Amino acid sequence: MLDCNAKPCNPTLELVGKLYNTVEVGDTDVVMLSDPILNDHLQNRSCDSFNWNSSSTSFPNSSSISFEVPSFQFLFLFKCDKNLSHYSRRKMDSYFKGYRSYSNCRNFTLYYKENQDTIAHGRVPKDCSLIQLPFDNTTKSNDLFERLTPQIVIFWKVSKECSDCHNRGGQCQSNSNNSFKCLEGKQNVIIEKRKPDINGITRKINKSSSKVKLIPITGEYFLLTIL
């Protein structure tokens, strides 16, 4: 649940069982979140930072609301085993020629390039895994820990069926089969229809009094309330 009028001003938001701190809330369809655990790891320059699971930002869509997490706010890194033979290590260094590297972690070395939006299928070398971490492309620092950030931006879009339901004073529901149902009621709710600007991550984000609530109901139902 996210309540933008809650105290303190930056409430905690739970999504898919993971807690985030809200940093800023935009005009009905965008929110900036911060991962407190990743923030602690980065502040402490801990190699545990690179155990962060980017799949935690794969929020499930429903018949009422869908989420979009722009991929260009993430940095691709190859996390490669250090326990290699001399020949394999030289081969690895040759493969990642032109990449930046970070080798201060005990069991692995990181290789990365900025502005690398995609990785070709099958291009992850043996003894390496591909990870993604949110990064700040505005800083000029060459320090990897200063380039990384715990903050991510998420856009959401309310479906037309849910918007129409709220305009009639109802509430949106989805069951485990993702089937939409409008729970009719008496609410004076107006939803502004707008297309998420996925490429507008740098657009102005203002504080808003809007609320988004994902409320579990008995059994397999979830209730979406937008005020």
Side-chain angles (χ1 to χ4, degrees):
M1 181 179 72
L2 168 63
D3 185 345
C4 303
N5 287 330
K7 301 298 181 181
C9 296
N10 296 343
T12 298
L13 170 65
E14 181 176 354
L15 288 172
V16 200
K18 187 174 179 64
L19 295 177
Y20 297 90
N21 296 325
T22 59
V23 179
E24 289 185 287
V25 178
D27 297 333
T28 75
D29 63 357
V30 60
V31 61
M32 179 180 288
L33 305 177
S34 179
D35 184 329
I37 297 177
L38 179 58
N39 181 64
D40 288 344
H41 290 330
L42 293 175
Q43 291 292 324
N44 294 324
R45 303 182 66 85
S46 169
C47 289
D48 288 334
S49 303
F50 307 109
N51 294 327
W52 191 78
N53 186 2
S54 61
S55 64
S56 61
T57 60
S58 299
F59 306 121
N61 296 329
S62 73
S63 57
S64 299
I65 188 170
S66 59
F67 298 95
E68 182 75 28
V69 184
S71 61
F72 56 82
Q73 60 185 315
F74 295 95
L75 177 68
F76 287 101
L77 303 101
F78 291 91
K79 183 179 178 181
C80 301
D81 191 357
K82 270 188 175 180
N83 299 318
L84 301 174
S85 67
H86 178 69
Y87 171 78
S88 296
R89 190 176 298 110
R90 288 185 61 184
K91 187 176 180 180
M92 189 78 70
D93 290 339
S94 176
Y95 182 90
F96 288 112
K97 185 177 180 180
Y99 282 69
R100 294 186 178 184
S101 65
Y102 182 83
S103 58
N104 290 341
C105 294
R106 181 177 181 180
N107 296 319
F108 56 86
T109 299
L110 298 165
Y111 299 91
Y112 62 97
K113 271 185 179 179
E114 296 180 18
N115 303 319
Q116 189 170 12
D117 295 330
T118 59
I119 302 294
H121 179 69
R123 293 298 302 273
V124 180
K126 180 184 177 182
D127 300 314
C128 296
S129 59
L130 185 64
I131 63 175
Q132 298 179 68
L133 285 166
F135 81 110
D136 181 0
N137 58 9
T138 63
T139 180
K140 299 185 182 301
S141 173
N142 290 323
D143 186 293
L144 179 59
F145 281 98
E146 293 181 7
R147 296 303 307 269
L148 298 175
T149 176
Q151 297 179 353
I152 58 173
V153 171
I154 300 173
F155 294 96
W156 70 77
K157 182 179 180 180
V158 177
S159 68
K160 182 179 185 302
E161 292 81 3
C162 183
S163 180
D164 292 342
C165 174
H166 273 282
N167 289 337
R168 298 195 304 270
Q171 294 179 326
C172 303
Q173 290 186 345
S174 295
N175 63 15
S176 60
N177 295 321
N178 206 24
S179 298
F180 177 80
K181 180 180 179 181
C182 181
L183 181 65
E184 301 292 345
K186 296 181 179 180
Q187 294 187 16
N188 295 321
V189 180
I190 299 177
I191 301 263
E192 179 185 0
K193 292 178 61 179
R194 51 188 301 166
K195 184 177 180 180
D197 181 9
I198 300 305
N199 295 319
I201 193 171
T202 58
R203 77 182 192 181
K204 185 176 181 181
I205 299 177
N206 297 318
K207 293 190 181 296
S208 169
S209 60
S210 59
K211 298 179 183 178
V212 176
K213 297 182 180 180
L214 296 176
I215 306 174
I217 303 178
T218 57
E220 57 188 7
Y221 282 87
F222 285 83
L223 175 65
L224 168 69
T225 302
I226 303 180
L227 303 175

